[in-house]
Amino acid sequence: MTNALIEDLQWRGLLYQQTDAEGMEKLLNEESVSLYVGVDPTADSMHIGHIVPLLTLRRFQQAGHRPVLLVGGATGMIGDPSGRSSERNLLNAEQINQNVAGLKAQMERIFDFGEGETGAILVNNYDWVGEMSVIDFLRDYGKLVNVNYLLAKDTIASRLETGISFTEFAYTILQGLDFNHLYDHHNVRIQVGGSDQWGNITTGLEIIRKTHDEETKAFGITIPLVTKADGTKFGKTAGGAVWLDAVKTSPYEFYQFWVNTADADVIKYLKIFTFLTREEIEALEVAVQEEPHLRKAQKTLASEMTKLIHGEAGLQQAERITAALFSGDLKALSVDEMKVAFAGVPSVELAKEDQNIVDLIVEAGISSSKRQAREDVTNGAISINGEKVTELDYTVDAKDRLDDAFAIIRRGKKKYHMVKFN
């Protein structure tokens, strides 16, 4: 009998590889199981490329299974060679601990950590790897994994020409012993990971098989790499990665990333990233085909993702900034929201002194000449902090300096500039 959850994952395009698909479906039909995803704390925040396995694990939680979230306090000190052509920079214990705290806070937004049977558990592999001696590691685990077996792994084979240290060569064994530890101590039966984790997952299954006399019921699932319809990399903008941390990527920027999704990608992303039902997504698919100009699917995607990661307050801020920029009514925004909204616009630094509007917009490079500046002002093309300026003798002074530090000047309908005063 096909498992309803597996069927849903297939419809959403979230299944790439499975070990013993039939056995795993049978297990999921018969009992509530524990599954895990591992995240190495190489930074103090995840970006959106990291969260697909986590969101997939959340789907298992909603279906009555327990998620075990592993933060790699130990493996993060080593570095996963998967998908890399060179060695990672090693982090110290203080950096790792700081990063672990950041990742934990983000995971708590995605999962229910309640007391019930399906409440998520957070574990740190430093708790069992950190106390292990080199002799114990080599004797108890290194002995189980043949070198030829490791050399056949794509992640290792791809690095043989450029070189790989023994440290990274041994990484897959460390992750394998994690699976074995969780199998023994948390009854974890399934590991979920991105497509680049297949080699690490199967190493875990090999170690579990060799350390248990009884017939083991452990399985692995990988998720396909998320791509864009035009072939470019998902999750990147001109400014870099889209982070879950509100300081690195503001809720407004986060919202804008999703709302700008192409029609060709939006239904695929709704399936992968949101928890909307099949019926809701299919209705939005019709809207994309029949009313693409309304961008209902994109707005829904942006709303669902921003609320999930930044909460209702973050979503409201993002929507308020979006509406203000669309209407040009900047007076609806707080000073802090102004800073967020215009963080990426062209900016210039000027002396903090009272100045005629014509002189200021020429000095700031907003208008190309004094003649052009006078035309722009008299034609109503210049606004300061959302207030239109039409008088040629207008003086820009303290009343126009937000936080006594900056002003937002708009020329025309959409050309914004930030003038910083020092």
Side-chain angles (χ1 to χ4, degrees), residues 217-231:
K217 291 182 180 179
F219 307 90
I221 300 174
T222 64
I223 297 154
L225 180 69
V226 180
T227 56
K228 294 168 73 172
D230 63 6

Side-chain angles (χ1 to χ4, degrees), residues 189-208:
R189 314 295 283 279
I190 301 171
Q191 182 179 354
V192 179
S195 57
D196 62 343
Q197 293 300 306
W198 181 251
N200 293 329
I201 291 172
T202 52
T203 297
L205 295 172
E206 179 76 357
I207 290 175
I208 290 171

Side-chain angles (χ1 to χ4, degrees), residues 12 102 104 129 144 155 163 168 178 196 261 271 299 400:
R12 292 177 185 273
K104 179 177 183 287
V129 176
L144 302 175
T155 53
E168 289 198 2
D178 284 344
D196 62 343
T261 300
K271 290 178 180 180
K299 290 174 184 176
D400 302 300

Side-chain angles (χ1 to χ4, degrees), residues 54-126:
L54 295 174
L55 295 178
T56 303
L57 205 61
R58 172 66 189 273
R59 298 181 199 282
F60 278 91
Q61 184 178 36
Q62 290 179 331
H65 305 286
R66 183 193 293 276
V68 176
L69 306 162
L70 182 147
V71 179
T75 43
M77 291 184 173
I78 301 300
D80 187 353
S82 301
R84 293 183 63 88
S85 58
S86 60
E87 294 274 324
R88 293 180 185 270
N89 294 324
L90 299 182
L91 302 177
N92 61 40
E94 184 180 351
Q95 289 172 309
I96 290 287
N97 290 334
Q98 187 177 357
N99 293 350
V100 166
L103 300 187
K104 179 177 183 287
Q106 292 172 353
M107 288 178 177
E108 287 172 344
R109 283 212 175 268
I110 297 173
F111 293 93
D112 175 9
F113 280 84
E115 296 292 328
E117 291 185 1
T118 63
I121 299 172
L122 184 70
V123 297
N124 185 337
N125 63 11
Y126 191 81

Side-chain angles (χ1 to χ4, degrees), residues 90-342:
L90 299 182
L91 302 177
N92 61 40
E94 184 180 351
Q95 289 172 309
I96 290 287
N97 290 334
Q98 187 177 357
N99 293 350
V100 166
L103 300 187
K104 179 177 183 287
Q106 292 172 353
M107 288 178 177
E108 287 172 344
R109 283 212 175 268
I110 297 173
F111 293 93
D112 175 9
F113 280 84
E115 296 292 328
E117 291 185 1
T118 63
I121 299 172
L122 184 70
V123 297
N124 185 337
N125 63 11
Y126 191 81
D127 292 342
W128 56 88
V129 176
E131 61 189 22
M132 187 180 295
S133 72
V134 175
I135 296 297
D136 289 340
F137 171 72
L138 292 175
R139 183 192 62 200
D140 295 341
Y141 295 99
K143 187 77 173 172
L144 302 175
V145 185
N146 191 288
V147 169
N148 291 336
Y149 173 85
L150 294 177
L151 291 173
K153 300 281 184 189
D154 289 342
T155 53
I156 292 174
S158 64
R159 288 279 296 279
L160 293 179
E161 193 171 322
T162 56
I164 183 170
S165 68
F166 179 76
T167 299
E168 289 198 2
F169 182 75
Y171 179 93
T172 189
I173 302 178
L174 281 176
Q175 195 178 120
L177 79 87
D178 284 344
F179 197 173
N180 186 68
H181 177 91
L182 296 178
Y183 182 90
D184 285 338
H185 295 273
H186 293 284
N187 197 30
V188 167
R189 314 295 283 279
I190 301 171
Q191 182 179 354
V192 179
S195 57
D196 62 343
Q197 293 300 306
W198 181 251
N200 293 329
I201 291 172
T202 52
T203 297
L205 295 172
E206 179 76 357
I207 290 175
I208 290 171
R209 184 179 66 82
K210 289 186 174 179
T211 54
H212 294 78
D213 294 330
E214 77 276 10
E215 182 185 352
T216 57
K217 291 182 180 179
F219 307 90
I221 300 174
T222 64
I223 297 154
L225 180 69
V226 180
T227 56
K228 294 168 73 172
D230 63 6
T232 56
K233 194 167 185 178
F234 166 78
K236 295 282 187 180
T237 67
V242 180
W243 297 93
L244 306 193
D245 186 316
V247 174
K248 289 180 165 63
T249 301
S250 71
Y252 165 70
E253 293 170 308
F254 191 81
Y255 180 92
Q256 286 300 311
F257 171 81
W258 296 105
V259 89
N260 287 320
T261 300
D263 287 349
D265 292 316
V266 68
I267 299 304
K268 174 182 176 181
Y269 294 172
L270 282 165
K271 290 178 180 180
I272 292 172
F273 291 98
T274 77
F275 295 91
L276 297 178
T277 65
R278 185 168 184 163
E279 292 72 25
E280 289 170 321
I281 292 173
E282 287 174 346
L284 288 167
E285 188 169 16
V286 172
V288 171
Q289 295 164 356
E290 297 182 354
E291 302 173 308
H293 59 287
L294 297 180
R295 299 184 70 76
K296 287 181 182 177
Q298 283 88 346
K299 290 174 184 176
T300 302
L301 174 64
S303 175
E304 291 290 318
M305 290 307 299
T306 306
K307 185 163 58 176
L308 175 69
I309 300 303
H310 296 293
E312 189 64 41
L315 173 60
Q316 288 179 6
Q317 183 195 72
E319 290 178 333
R320 193 161 52 246
I321 293 173
T322 300
L325 293 181
F326 182 78
S327 66
D329 182 17
L330 304 189
K331 298 187 293 297
L333 302 180
S334 68
V335 171
D336 286 341
E337 288 172 342
M338 287 264 207
K339 291 177 183 176
V340 169
F342 297 103

